[in-house]
């Protein structure tokens, strides 16, 4: 099959036609990927910020059509339209049975770039090719466990549906599942890429009374207003935490770092009221260290700091719910997509992401 392959970190991604994809085994499905969004996590692996094995097919925000199903797969058949998710819930592990699907045992796939048994289903000349960020969506076909392909109605445009796979699940889920923002709450969102703007939308859906946003890119601040932000901050012109305290008097109920920077997590904690919650949503570089000082003040103010993986979502439930909100006019999915490119232009799409141009680029993968 044709796939965009990263053969060395910090080098251009190469389009190849010699990647082999296996037939689905028991409990697996193979999907013909039509569209895949380009996420900052893909860029982090491509640039070597997160070390990964190579060669590797990146891409984890994908949608397509089921091509084949393995034994013991029910509810899916060739021809079904699906959204793919990088963390397929197993439903039976220690965490799933406790209602914590974001840390399902399958979440380790994000780091290993393999299935739990170490296989990938991808190869080239007999050598292993890795499936990036738990999926490998920048190839014409992707293998996944059955719960990693969530069936959707055939009338939903796949180029729109794909952004649910990561950006929307993560952002809206961070609000509804991780933080559980209540109606009337005040919210701060730092970073307004696809995930940050999805957090804004999630806060609007949750009924937040005030949604404050911070991003150095003016176009993204303008976009945030269209998605529901009530106040905007340019962090290059004023301190985000200080301005948030001015706007609210006591600080926000919830602060979200949608970039993945320790400094923003700390800014969020400073911007939160006593008893408020800061949610670390973005994937920070491995060398970043979050400092909480003085520790006694953290204790006395009862502030909370929580992590968030893929919006704490059970994708089998979450993807249909998010599509229902879109159909009801409560989520804007097409508005997140600011560029569409063929797979052959993947390096240009990565350059757009590095330069903070636009919000989300969607690649047409299968020809």
């Amino acid at each position: 099959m044709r796939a965009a392959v990263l053969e060395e970190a910090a080098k251009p991604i190469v389009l190849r036609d010699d990647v082999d994809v296996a037939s689905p085994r028991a409990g697996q499905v193979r999907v013909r990927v039509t569209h895949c969004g380009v996420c900052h996590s893909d860029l982090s692996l491509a640039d070597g910020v997160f070390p990964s094995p190579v060669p590797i097919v990146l891409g984890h925000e994908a949608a397509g059509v089921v091509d084949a199903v393995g034994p013991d797969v029910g509810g899916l058949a060739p021809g079904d339209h699906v959204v793919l998710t990088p963390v397929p819930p197993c439903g039976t592990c220690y965490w799933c049975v406790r209602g914590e699907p974001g840390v399902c045992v399958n979440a380790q796939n994000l780091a290993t770039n393999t299935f739990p048994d170490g296989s990938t289903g991808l190869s080239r000349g007999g050598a292993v090719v890795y499936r990036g960020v738990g999926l490998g969506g920048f190839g014409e076909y992707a293998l996944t466990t059955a719960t990693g392909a969530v069936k959707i109605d055939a009338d939903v445009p796949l180029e729109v549906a794909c952004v649910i796979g990561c950006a929307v699940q993560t952002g809206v889920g961070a609000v509804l599942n991780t933080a559980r923002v209540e109606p009337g709450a005040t919210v701060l969102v730092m970073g307004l890429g696809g995930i940050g703007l999805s957090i804004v939308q999630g806060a609007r859906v949750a009924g937040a009374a005030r949604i404050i946003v911070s991003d150095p890119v003016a176009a993204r601040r303008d976009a945030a207003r269209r998605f529901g932000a009530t106040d905007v901050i340019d962090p290059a012109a004023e301190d985000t935490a200080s301005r948030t305290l001015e706007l609210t008097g006591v600080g926000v109920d919830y602060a979200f770092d949608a970039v993945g920077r320790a400094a923003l997590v700390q800014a969020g904690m400073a911007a939160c009221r006593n008893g408020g919650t800061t949610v670390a949503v973005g994937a920070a570089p491995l060398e970043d260290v979050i400092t909480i000082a003085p520790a006694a003040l953290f204790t006395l103010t009862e502030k909370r700091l929580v992590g968030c993986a893929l919006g704490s979502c059970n994708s089998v439930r979450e993807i249909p719910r998010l599509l229902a909100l879109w159909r009801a006019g409560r989520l804007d999915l097409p508005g997140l997509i600011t560029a569409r490119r063929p797979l052959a232009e993947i390096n240009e799409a990565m350059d757009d992401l590095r330069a903070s141009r636009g919000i989300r680029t969607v690649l047409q993968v299968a020809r």
Side-chain angles (χ1 to χ4, degrees), residues 186-202:
T186 54
V187 170
L188 168 66
V189 183
M190 295 170 288
L192 298 172
I195 289 175
L197 290 174
S198 295
I199 294 173
V200 171
Q201 294 200 71

Side-chain angles (χ1 to χ4, degrees), residues 297-320:
L297 189 59
F298 179 73
T299 301
L300 292 173
T301 59
E302 293 194 356
K303 294 187 180 186
R304 300 173 179 86
L305 172 61
V306 298
C308 170
L310 198 70
S312 306
C313 288
N314 180 333
S315 299
V316 176
R317 170 68 185 97
E318 202 68 40
I319 289 171

Side-chain angles (χ1 to χ4, degrees), residues 27-306:
Q28 293 182 335
V29 300
R30 188 172 64 199
V31 175
R32 179 175 178 267
V33 178
T34 61
H35 298 86
C36 190
V38 182
C39 176
H40 207 280
S41 295
D42 297 313
L43 179 64
S44 293
L45 267 68
D47 286 349
V49 175
F50 297 147
S52 67
V54 291
I56 187 169
V57 178
L58 301 176
H60 61 282
E61 189 178 84
V65 181
V66 174
D67 168 68
V69 300
D72 302 323
V73 172
L76 289 173
D80 286 344
H81 288 206
V82 292
V83 173
L84 301 175
T85 180
V87 183
C90 76
T92 59
C93 72
Y94 182 94
W95 296 276
C96 279
V97 298
R98 286 164 174 76
E100 299 172 348
V103 286
C104 168
V105 66
N106 285 339
Q108 67 181 324
N109 302 350
L110 300 176
T112 64
N113 301 288
T114 69
F115 288 108
D117 66 0
S119 67
T120 68
L122 301 176
S123 62
R124 190 176 69 202
V128 171
V129 174
Y130 292 89
R131 54 194 301 270
V133 199
L135 187 57
F138 292 154
E140 290 179 315
Y141 293 90
L143 270 180
T144 183
T145 56
T147 58
V150 180
K151 185 177 177 179
I152 64 174
D153 292 337
D155 65 339
V156 179
L158 293 171
E159 66 174 329
V160 172
C162 71
V163 299
I164 294 177
C166 178
V168 181
Q169 274 199 109
T170 301
V172 177
V175 175
L176 302 184
N177 303 326
T178 310
R180 299 188 179 184
V181 172
E182 68 278 2
T186 54
V187 170
L188 168 66
V189 183
M190 295 170 288
L192 298 172
I195 289 175
L197 290 174
S198 295
I199 294 173
V200 171
Q201 294 200 71
R204 190 191 70 237
V205 168
R210 196 160 201 172
I211 305 171
I212 304 167
V213 299
S214 172
D215 194 287
V217 180
R220 291 185 169 184
R221 296 195 300 272
D222 293 340
R225 284 198 181 276
R226 296 194 299 272
F227 285 111
T230 58
D231 304 89
V232 299
I233 299 172
D234 178 0
E238 52 189 339
D239 180 74
T240 296
S242 297
R243 180 59 180 151
T244 299
L245 290 169
E246 290 175 5
L247 289 169
T248 61
V250 296
V252 290
D253 299 315
Y254 302 94
F256 297 84
D257 163 31
V259 177
R261 291 290 183 272
L264 293 185
V265 172
Q266 291 165 193
M269 294 180 67
C272 269
R273 63 167 175 83
N274 291 353
T277 300
T278 298
V279 184
V281 184
L286 297 180
E287 64 270 17
D288 263 23
V289 176
I290 298 169
T291 301
I292 299 176
L297 189 59
F298 179 73
T299 301
L300 292 173
T301 59
E302 293 194 356
K303 294 187 180 186
R304 300 173 179 86
L305 172 61
V306 298

